[in-house]
Amino acid sequence: MNLRDLSYLVSLAEHKHFGRAAQASFVSQPTLSTQIKKLEDELGVALVERTPRKVLLTEAGREIVARAREVLTEIEQIKAIARHTIDPESGTLRLGIFPTLGPYLLPHVVPQASERFPRLELLLVEEKTDALLKLLREGRLDAAVLAEPIHDDQLHAEFLFEEPFLLAVPEHHELAKRKTLKLDDLSDQSLLLLEDGHCLRDQALEVCELSGASEKSGFRATSLETLRQMVAANVGVTLLPTLAVKPPVARSENIHLVQFRGHAPSRRIAMFWRKSSALTPFLKKFVAVFRELPRTLLDPHTLPDPAPHSAQKTRARVAPRPRHRLKEMPSR
């Protein structure tokens, strides 16, 4: 038995297909199949059930795969200790982040991380929270940026920042006239929410419970951008995190953003990693990149100016442009 064969078995368990597992392992399908058969012969038990369409693990196979993952994770930890002993700020960092945060936070973090740790290779994985936790526990991620709370005694958490929410309403909605809101002002509103599996959905439902608001029935979005477009199309109102409305994100037309008075509803963001990780000393340094973000980035009071189309409409009422001139596109 060797580590290579264990890695083939784990790959087969993940892909449930010899061809895809071989491709992921950078070997031919006959090679992977032969090594799995040799492993079965050595152990004296069947590890997989070969069906015409997919591969199923036997009961023994599932138990051995679980142990094999632990072994391979420990081997990676040993290699990581050696790499970071030689050069603590080099090597590869596999970092997970969830979809309603990644596209809005990473443009601010990645350049700073590259400047601070120029020899570090940062591999980013964007998945929903449950998938990231699974990858983290299995050792396939070194750390993950997630929304609190996460209840797992095996994981260490480092708080990064708190991100307030704003209410996004159509341009001519009754609440668009308000400069600020109280939670109680949402009591008669139906909010557009994300589909199940997004942590932002759970956070929005908590706001609904506190304010007396409800979920708009018949619609669930797959992304924040879908929510944004639905608000712009006058379908309803929703909650948006502050980072999702800050540059370089383009300000959407026909959307008005309203801040909450006092302590706004928000989400707490932290970085999680395994308590047993050999990368702990470095990860504590890496956390500083997130904590040093400009305060204005997370401040809903410093929103960008509204999209220029509104000002153009105002000017047009006073002095219409000549018809032969090209229409000026809103800046992004």
Side-chain angles (χ1 to χ4, degrees), residues 15-70:
H15 295 281
K16 295 181 174 58
H17 187 277
F18 277 97
R20 290 192 292 270
Q23 186 176 13
S25 302
F26 304 102
V27 295
S28 67
Q29 181 172 333
T31 296
L32 185 136
S33 181
T34 298
Q35 293 306 122
I36 296 293
K37 185 65 172 65
K38 285 183 178 179
L39 185 59
E40 289 179 316
D41 292 341
E42 181 178 351
L43 295 173
V45 295
L47 301 175
V48 297
E49 296 179 18
R50 295 161 175 82
T51 68
R53 293 188 177 181
K54 63 179 180 180
V55 173
L56 301 175
L57 292 176
T58 64
E59 183 177 352
R62 288 192 294 272
E63 292 183 13
I64 290 173
V65 164
R67 295 298 179 91
R69 284 196 175 106
E70 293 176 3

Side-chain angles (χ1 to χ4, degrees), residues 73-92 94 142 274 276-280 282:
T73 297
E74 289 301 318
I75 294 299
E76 283 300 318
Q77 292 295 315
I78 291 171
K79 292 179 179 178
I81 291 171
R83 287 195 304 268
H84 287 273
T85 299
I86 297 170
D87 186 351
E89 297 180 2
S90 69
T92 299
R94 300 166 299 174
D142 298 309
R274 295 178 303 282
S276 60
S277 174
L279 297 181
T280 294
F282 172 73

Side-chain angles (χ1 to χ4, degrees), residues 191-264:
L191 272 60
L192 298 168
L193 301 182
L194 291 169
E195 65 181 0
D196 290 333
H198 289 278
C199 59
L200 183 57
R201 171 180 172 79
D202 298 332
Q203 294 149 3
L205 285 173
E206 289 180 10
V207 174
C208 289
E209 184 176 351
L210 291 172
S211 65
S214 60
E215 178 182 3
K216 191 174 183 66
S217 61
F219 174 83
R220 288 187 182 180
T222 58
S223 70
L224 273 186
E225 295 313 305
T226 301
L227 285 181
R228 196 193 306 268
Q229 293 304 319
M230 291 300 99
V231 174
N234 201 29
V235 174
V237 305
T238 194
L239 293 171
L240 291 179
T242 298
L243 284 170
V245 298
K246 291 295 184 78
V249 181
R251 183 72 175 269
S252 300
E253 297 183 0
N254 304 324
I255 289 183
H256 189 77
L257 300 171
V258 190
Q259 301 168 30
F260 289 91
R261 288 203 295 274
H263 187 69

Side-chain angles (χ1 to χ4, degrees), residues 62-304:
R62 288 192 294 272
E63 292 183 13
I64 290 173
V65 164
R67 295 298 179 91
R69 284 196 175 106
E70 293 176 3
V71 170
L72 294 173
T73 297
E74 289 301 318
I75 294 299
E76 283 300 318
Q77 292 295 315
I78 291 171
K79 292 179 179 178
I81 291 171
R83 287 195 304 268
H84 287 273
T85 299
I86 297 170
D87 186 351
E89 297 180 2
S90 69
T92 299
L93 179 65
R94 300 166 299 174
L95 181 67
I97 194 164
F98 56 96
T100 60
L101 180 64
Y104 314 107
L105 177 63
L106 292 176
H108 304 283
V109 169
V110 171
Q112 299 300 322
S114 298
E115 182 178 348
R116 187 158 183 168
F117 306 107
R119 299 185 303 280
L120 181 70
E121 180 186 27
L122 186 59
L123 298 182
L124 298 166
V125 176
E126 186 180 86
E127 288 283 0
K128 294 179 182 178
T129 297
D130 287 346
L132 291 177
L133 284 171
K134 184 175 185 293
L135 294 173
L136 188 57
R137 290 163 181 150
E138 292 175 354
R140 290 188 282 166
L141 285 179
D142 298 309
V145 178
L146 304 169
E148 292 184 319
I150 299 293
H151 303 291
D152 190 324
D153 293 339
Q154 302 303 312
L155 298 180
H156 173 79
E158 287 282 339
F159 173 74
L160 300 179
F161 55 81
E162 188 168 358
E163 182 184 18
F165 294 134
L166 300 105
L167 186 70
V169 302
E171 192 175 32
H172 300 294
H173 192 276
E174 57 180 3
L175 293 179
K177 302 173 185 177
R178 307 282 293 274
K179 291 185 178 180
T180 59
L181 294 171
K182 298 182 299 181
L183 273 180
D184 292 346
D185 294 327
L186 300 182
S187 59
D188 59 347
Q189 298 295 319
S190 297
L191 272 60
L192 298 168
L193 301 182
L194 291 169
E195 65 181 0
D196 290 333
H198 289 278
C199 59
L200 183 57
R201 171 180 172 79
D202 298 332
Q203 294 149 3
L205 285 173
E206 289 180 10
V207 174
C208 289
E209 184 176 351
L210 291 172
S211 65
S214 60
E215 178 182 3
K216 191 174 183 66
S217 61
F219 174 83
R220 288 187 182 180
T222 58
S223 70
L224 273 186
E225 295 313 305
T226 301
L227 285 181
R228 196 193 306 268
Q229 293 304 319
M230 291 300 99
V231 174
N234 201 29
V235 174
V237 305
T238 194
L239 293 171
L240 291 179
T242 298
L243 284 170
V245 298
K246 291 295 184 78
V249 181
R251 183 72 175 269
S252 300
E253 297 183 0
N254 304 324
I255 289 183
H256 189 77
L257 300 171
V258 190
Q259 301 168 30
F260 289 91
R261 288 203 295 274
H263 187 69
S266 61
R267 59 183 180 183
R268 290 172 56 85
I269 305 299
M271 185 181 291
F272 294 82
W273 62 83
R274 295 178 303 282
K275 290 179 179 178
S276 60
S277 174
L279 297 181
T280 294
F282 172 73
L283 289 170
K284 288 189 173 181
K285 291 183 181 180
F286 191 78
V287 159
V289 176
F290 294 85
R291 290 178 174 166
E292 293 171 3
L293 291 171
R295 291 186 178 182
T296 54
L297 192 62
L298 297 164
D299 186 354
H301 296 88
T302 58
L303 294 174

